[in-house]
Amino acid sequence: MGSLFRSEEMALCQLFLQSESAYTCVSELGELGLVQFRDLNPDVNAFQRKFVNEVRRCDEMERKLRYLEREIRKDGIPVLDTGENPEAPMPREMIDLEATFEKLENELKEVNSNAEALKRNYLELTELKHILKKTQVFFDEREGSLESGGQTSLTQNLLPEDSKGPIQLGFVAGVILRERIPAFERMLWRACRGNVFLRQAEINDPLEDPATGEQVYKSVFIIFFQGDQLKMRVKKICEGFRATMYPCPEAPADRREMAMGVKTRLDDLSTVLSQTQDHRHRVLVSAARNIRAWMMKVWKIKSIYHTLNMFNLDVIQNGLIAECWIPVANLEDVQLALRRGTEKSGSLPAILNRLSTHEAPPTFHRTNKFTKAFQALIDAYGVATYREINPAPYTIITFPFLFAIMFGDVGHGIIMALFGGWMVWREKPLSAKKTDNEIWNIFFGGRYIILLMGMFSMYTGLIYNDIFSKALNIFGTSWHGNYNESTLLTNKELTLDPGNKEQYDQYPYPFGLDPVWQIALNKINFYNSYKMKISIIFGIIHMLFGVILSVWNHRFFNKPMNIYCEFIPQIIFLTCLFGYLVLLVFHKWVWYGAGGADSVSPNCAPSILITFINMVLMKGYQPTPEGDPCSPYMYAGQFGFQRFLVCVGLICVPWMLIAKPFILHRNNKRKLMMSQANGGEGVIEEGGGEAAAAAATEEVHDMGEIMIHQGIHTIEYVLGSVSHTASYLRLWALSLAHAQLSEVLWQMVLRVGLTAGGTGGVGGVVTYFIFAAWASLTIAILVLMEGLSAFLHTLRLHWVEFQSKFYGGGGYAFVPFAFETILEHAETAVTE
Amino acid sequence: MCVYVTNRGKGGRSSLPSSPLRPESTMAFCGYKFSLCLLLISCWGLVQLLLMGMLFYCETPAFLEDLPLTGPYENVGQYMNDVHHGFGTNALNCLIAACLYIITLGVSGWQFYLNQKTTYQV
């Protein structure tokens, strides 16, 4: 039976695989994705497993592929994701793959190092070219100054007056990073005591640093000095500041020759460099075509070997033994997959044996893309016990509905539904786009939930008659004001009486709340009463439903005692007290109204809360005072009936507490007597006596445990029924908060724009800006924040109030060996 | 099938001087996300303000408190005059704002389209 009603039946199977076919069989099972393998070597170190070498080789291949991927991404080459799913290659193909990757890696490394060397060369030549260009200016100045012999030349000032003709100045030319120039200058000045002369000029174009590839700005400098000592000092300082020095000839003719030589060499180098880059690009493009398929193949091989490592070696038959959990409904598929695998490798067929075990199997729910999200919500709290009733199918409707009760607004519902609808409509392209933005992934994973929540919110918004805090008057309001002008002028507030046929049409608005309530001053009083009552009603229905679901669990696990000792008293207790409360609510709604007899007028309606409290406290009969048309009782015989209900409810408590332990105790005693009788007839009397004594102590232990367990269960249920019922009032509270927030936002933001008025089009422009602000705040506060809040509260209501009535949640999830999940996992790990 | 393309320029020849920017990338003054937000808000604003404009014109009592009314009134006639006048003004203002949102829709749609062309990835 495969359905969402309860989890699938699982079988523990033993697999005998021949050594040759093990790899292909596991590959086929991986494609199938329905088998969960158990680790039969849990104590074995990762480095001592059988296939550790293969895993290591796979790691190497992965490393090489990642290097290739990085280089491809660096060059900005698009990687085509054709969505193909290559099969895991055979082990002998692995060697071919390894060779290919090795070759590619080496080629790329060689190209890269060549390119780096060439770039370094290019950089040096470029710097030399700049130096030759800039120093031309310096030398011209120097020539000019020497010829003119003017005072303006700085070289002149450094020298003593009685110099002997043209001074032999040495110089050093080089290139340095622009940022370092001030410190460089200062260091030179201090170290050489101002006896050297630095001229510098900026290089306008940025140069590329060959190691990092980033563009840097440099400057050309030339330092003039006299003497060898200064020369050594200058050279040391230049080295310290990592300035590259170049030999620059003094004579202008030499410099021109050098410049031309440099130019030709630069041209040659740039040609070679561009050809190198082209070659690298070509290599990368050809690799980019296959790289995704290669990555997927390597991941698959690795996962297959990891799985093979979990198997036991069967030396006798030269095969591998595996233990796995398989859903019973899929045994045929697994057999087919195994057959395919053995056919591929051409060896003896694999044998699948079903084992029986007392171990708890994993819980497997067969979900599709729609139900997966709801199942995830349930599993987040606790995975269902094996073959327990699954709360997920009901959650599909109750979750959006309870959310919508708290979020009821047509406008916000439309926004949410449109967002969910867009995500569902564009499902395929959006899921193909793999981002590591976690928030987006969460929203996208819950797209069906969001769509349903939005649609249900539109419905409850129509019921509450609330669209962005305004009401829609579709069918015509039932209330009319008929006061004359003088009354209107003299009274600040007026009341419309529902008993007055001219003020109220005597039949209500056909669908939802009357639109007049949005503009009524006592709106909150009315909404409070209404919303609180429906919260309690829905809460009791939800909890009753939860208790009823437990019957299926009791029947399936063959525990009829639970039905008699737990389910029946639970239902009776809940119905007698809280079901009666709901009935009172409905009765009061129907029985009391305006425009009728005095005893059923609205001001005579007794408070349900007070009635309920008096009922539980067993207050005495309260007779109606004389001349008072109002009676504290809603119907005849209420007092007696309520007393009866309380008694029945009270009886249920000891019933829940004692019945089951008592019956268990009696059964144990009976078993003990029977085993004692058997033991007495048996050969070993002592053994029988001992066994009986052991069983007796065990039974005492069990009794204590059972009593405690039952006590906890009873108290939890009885107290829980009160507290959970009150807990459902959060449906009212959040709904009120949402409505008020919406109203406040409209009044504080949009109304400011609308009441600004203004002549001409000024009001329009103001409204334009204010609307943008109002819209942003609506989305941020009302849709996102309130939506998240309501989502959380609905989740809590489901997890605690609903599931505590029947859910065990003590299982563990079924995690099959599937390539799909492994590849997805590996992809997200890479993008992080 | 998903292809992601980035602006390649001259990726292989980074040692030579960089190429000039494509004209479209200078015309886009909004980023991808900002233009998308503007686009959505203008769609919403257009629809809602048109509706509100029509409703103000029809003088729905739900919008009674959103009118620009000034101070206490002497008599009912004056009050009603102001109410009618207020409805008319607000209807006009909403329609003007809706028109402004049409322009914003156009501009943000154009920006969004430009941003879409240069990069497909979000």
Side-chain angles (χ1 to χ4, degrees), chain A residues 76-83 292 429 432-434, chain B residues 1-6 116-122:
Chain A
I77 300 173
V79 176
L80 214 65
D81 181 4
T82 56
R292 270 205 64 76
K433 203 191 302 182
K434 290 178 177 61
Chain B
M1 178 161 138
C2 162
V3 179
Y4 55 89
V5 184
T6 49
Q116 278 268 26
K117 276 216 308 185
T118 48
T119 154
Y120 289 149
Q121 64 190 29
V122 178

Side-chain angles (χ1 to χ4, degrees), chain A residues 208 277 746 751 754 768 771-772, chain B residues 12 14-15 45 66 90 101 104:
Chain A
E208 188 190 345
Q277 295 289 24
W746 182 285
R751 188 165 291 175
L754 292 172
Y768 167 76
F771 178 85
Chain B
S14 40
S15 53
D66 295 323
N90 272 358
Y101 271 116
T104 318

Side-chain angles (χ1 to χ4, degrees), chain A residues 303-327:
Chain A
S303 61
I304 293 179
Y305 278 117
H306 271 307
T307 313
L308 285 175
N309 272 339
M310 293 200 278
F311 296 175
N312 262 340
L313 191 59
D314 182 21
V315 198
I316 310 163
Q317 292 162 10
N318 192 25
L320 292 166
I321 305 178
E323 260 181 39
C324 49
W325 289 107
I326 307 180

Side-chain angles (χ1 to χ4, degrees), chain B residues 25-118:
Chain B
S25 44
T26 46
M27 285 206 298
F29 48 83
C30 299
Y32 180 81
K33 288 181 189 160
F34 186 54
S35 57
L36 181 62
C37 285
L38 267 188
L39 188 64
L40 291 173
I41 290 194
S42 1
C43 283
W44 178 7
L46 181 61
V47 170
Q48 180 163 338
L49 285 169
L50 270 179
L51 271 172
M52 277 169 63
M54 286 197 307
L55 288 171
F56 269 117
Y57 186 70
C58 296
E59 302 199 350
T60 47
F63 283 132
L64 194 59
E65 289 158 335
D66 295 323
L67 298 176
L69 301 173
T70 49
Y73 290 94
E74 302 290 305
N75 55 13
V76 181
Q78 215 180 12
Y79 172 69
M80 287 312 293
N81 262 345
D82 255 5
V83 164
H84 288 303
H85 188 69
F87 272 123
T89 319
N90 272 358
L92 193 62
N93 286 345
C94 283
L95 290 175
I96 293 176
C99 290
L100 286 174
Y101 271 116
I102 294 181
I103 300 174
T104 318
L105 183 67
V107 169
S108 57
W110 168 57
Q111 289 296 310
F112 183 67
Y113 173 68
L114 283 182
N115 276 303
Q116 278 268 26
K117 276 216 308 185
T118 48

Side-chain angles (χ1 to χ4, degrees), chain A residues 284-298:
Chain A
L284 286 177
V285 162
S286 74
R289 244 175 286 144
N290 302 326
I291 194 156
R292 270 205 64 76
W294 284 337
M295 269 306 237
M296 286 167 68
K297 283 188 187 165
V298 169

